[in-house]
Amino acid sequence: MNIDEQRIREFAFQIWESEGKPAGQAERHWMMACKLAEAEASGEKQLTPPAKPRRISKPKTVPLTEVEQPALLKKPRTPRSTATKNPKP
C-alpha cells in the first residue's frame, strides 16, 4: 500500500466518522477522500488567511426634538391636580 492510498484511507475514515458512521456509503466516502488527497498533493489545499474584519463606525445620531421622541423616552410630566394647594384669598 503506497502513501497516497494510506492517506485516502485516512480521509475516508474521517469522513465516515464525521457523518455518523453510516452503512453503504463507502464508495462515496472513498471518492471524496480521493479528491481531498489530490487537492492536498497538488497544493490547492493551501488556505489563504481570512480577511481582516473591517471596523464599522457607529452611525452619527442627531438628538430628536421632544415631539419626535417616542413616548417611553420622554420625561414624565408632573400630574395636574384639580384642587390647588394654596387657594388665593
Side-chain angles (χ1 to χ4, degrees):
M1 177 181 333
N2 62 19
I3 296 172
D4 292 336
E5 187 176 340
Q6 180 60 35
R7 190 67 179 142
I8 293 169
R9 284 181 188 273
E10 290 170 3
F11 279 138
F13 183 76
Q14 290 173 356
I15 294 167
W16 176 68
E17 279 188 322
S18 70
E19 290 185 358
K21 303 178 181 179
Q25 300 293 318
E27 187 175 335
R28 186 174 63 84
H29 293 156
W30 188 265
M31 296 306 294
M32 291 171 67
C34 286
K35 290 178 183 178
L36 286 171
E38 286 174 15
E40 184 181 66
S42 68
E44 294 176 7
K45 182 102 174 152
Q46 296 174 358
L47 299 176
T48 57
K52 199 172 189 180
R54 293 187 327 171
R55 259 193 108 92
I56 299 173
S57 60
K58 293 182 180 177
K60 295 180 181 178
T61 57
V62 178
L64 300 174
T65 64
E66 189 174 328
V67 176
E68 295 172 327
Q69 290 181 352
L72 294 175
L73 297 178
K74 291 182 182 178
K75 294 179 183 176
R77 294 183 179 175
T78 55
R80 295 182 188 174
S81 62
T82 54
T84 57
K85 294 181 180 180
N86 296 327
K88 291 184 181 180

